[in-house]
């Protein structure tokens, strides 16, 4: 039996988002005076509406996977597993971590109780994997997920796309059902969700935070036509010249039916 006082009901704490077992709390003012040298920086952060945030996860005979080192405290009948199944799996996870830029080992917490993650100044948000039909993540976006979500590393099939897109050769894929907890490079209110229905989105830069697994992702010339009229060596050269003269060059393209989450600011 446990009881937590002066957390959610604290006037300095505000629950800004909640989905499934995850609540994101925001500390309205920084009350920590242990590091006086950073107080002026935090003051100006607060004026920009940048506050410390934490994710509080409620476990009810369930499990939650997080990035290594992200746990601040846990309470109740909660156990921890390295989520490593033998030497081969350990090597595989180390390699996958190097590929995606994520932490190699993602510990699994299970049982009944509370799990609090370390405070961060980065915005956090949640998505339901099943509502996206599977989610592909940009490097560094993953923070945690329910144990019902399966994580895989997927390799970009096109060498040219991997080298020119800025998105990298490998992406972390979230499959199954459940909530995934993500970090954003921009405030949540600046994230733009684009829904595609047999259409295409072209982005001039590495702005996609997450996208549906059903979408085809490629890097191509900005002047490439949707129809296959400029195929072959002549078409490639024509697109290269047109893109160079327009100043747009290569863009990242998402095609098909699904969603793309963009950090446009």
């Amino acid at each position: 039996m446990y009881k937590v006082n002066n957390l959610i009901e604290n006037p300095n704490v505000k629950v800004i988002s909640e989905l499934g077992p995850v609540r994101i709390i925001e500390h309205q003012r920084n009350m920590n005076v242990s590091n006086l040298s950073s107080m002026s920086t935090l003051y100006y952060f607060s004026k920009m509406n940048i506050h410390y945030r934490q994710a509080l996860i409620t476990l009810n005979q369930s499990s939650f996977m997080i990035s290594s080192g992200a746990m601040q405290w846990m309470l109740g009948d909660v156990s921890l597993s390295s989520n490593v199944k033998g030497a081969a799996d350990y090597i595989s996870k180390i390699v996958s971590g190097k590929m995606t830029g994520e932490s190699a080992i993602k510990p699994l917490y299970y049982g009944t109780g509370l799990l609090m993650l370390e405070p961060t100044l980065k915005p956090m948000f949640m998505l339901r994997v099943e509502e996206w039909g599977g989610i592909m993540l940009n490097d560094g976006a993953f923070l945690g997920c329910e144990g019902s979500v399966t994580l895989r590393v997927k390799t970009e099939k096109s060498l040219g796309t991997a080298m020119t897109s800025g998105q990298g050769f490998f992406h972390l894929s979230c499959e199954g059902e459940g909530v995934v907890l993500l970090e954003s490079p921009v405030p949540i209110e600046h994230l733009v969700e684009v829904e595609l229905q047999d259409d295409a989105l072209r982005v001039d830069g590495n702005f996609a935070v997450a996208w549906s697994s059903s979408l085809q992702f490629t890097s191509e010339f900005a002047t490439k036509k949707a129809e296959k009229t400029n195929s072959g060596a002549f078409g490639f050269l024509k697109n290269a010249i047109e893109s160079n003269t327009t100043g747009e060059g290569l863009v990242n393209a998402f095609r098909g039916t699904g969603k793309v989450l963009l950090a446009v600011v």
Side-chain angles (χ1 to χ4, degrees), residues 123-144:
M124 293 183 288
F125 66 101
M126 295 89 73
L127 298 174
R128 283 199 176 276
V129 176
E130 62 270 24
E131 293 180 357
W132 285 62
I135 303 174
M136 303 293 288
L137 299 178
N138 201 352
D139 291 352
F142 178 84
L143 190 56

Side-chain angles (χ1 to χ4, degrees), residues 212-257:
S212 297
S213 301
S214 57
L215 293 175
Q216 179 189 14
F217 169 65
T218 58
S219 180
E220 61 188 38
F221 291 113
T223 54
K224 181 180 179 180
K225 304 298 188 296
E227 63 275 8
K228 298 180 180 179
T229 56
N230 290 334
S231 59
F234 177 76
F236 177 86
L237 182 61
K238 182 176 184 295
N239 282 320
I241 294 173
E242 288 183 353
S243 294
N244 185 61
T245 55
T246 60
E248 292 301 332
L250 292 168
V251 296
N252 294 333
F254 301 86
R255 284 190 168 83
T257 298

Side-chain angles (χ1 to χ4, degrees), residues 16-28:
I16 60 173
S17 183
E18 184 172 359
L19 183 64
V22 184
R23 283 177 288 180
I24 297 177
I25 65 173
E26 182 178 84
H27 301 273
Q28 301 300 291

Side-chain angles (χ1 to χ4, degrees), residues 11 19 48 60-61 68 77 88 129 136 165 197 238 241 245 247:
L19 183 64
M48 297 169 61
N60 185 14
Q61 294 184 348
S68 179
D77 184 19
V129 176
M136 303 293 288
S165 66
Q197 186 71 38
K238 182 176 184 295
I241 294 173
T245 55

Side-chain angles (χ1 to χ4, degrees), residues 90-102:
Y90 175 74
I91 295 173
S92 174
K93 284 180 165 59
I94 291 293
V95 173
S96 298
K98 294 293 184 181
M99 291 174 176
T100 61
E102 308 285 351

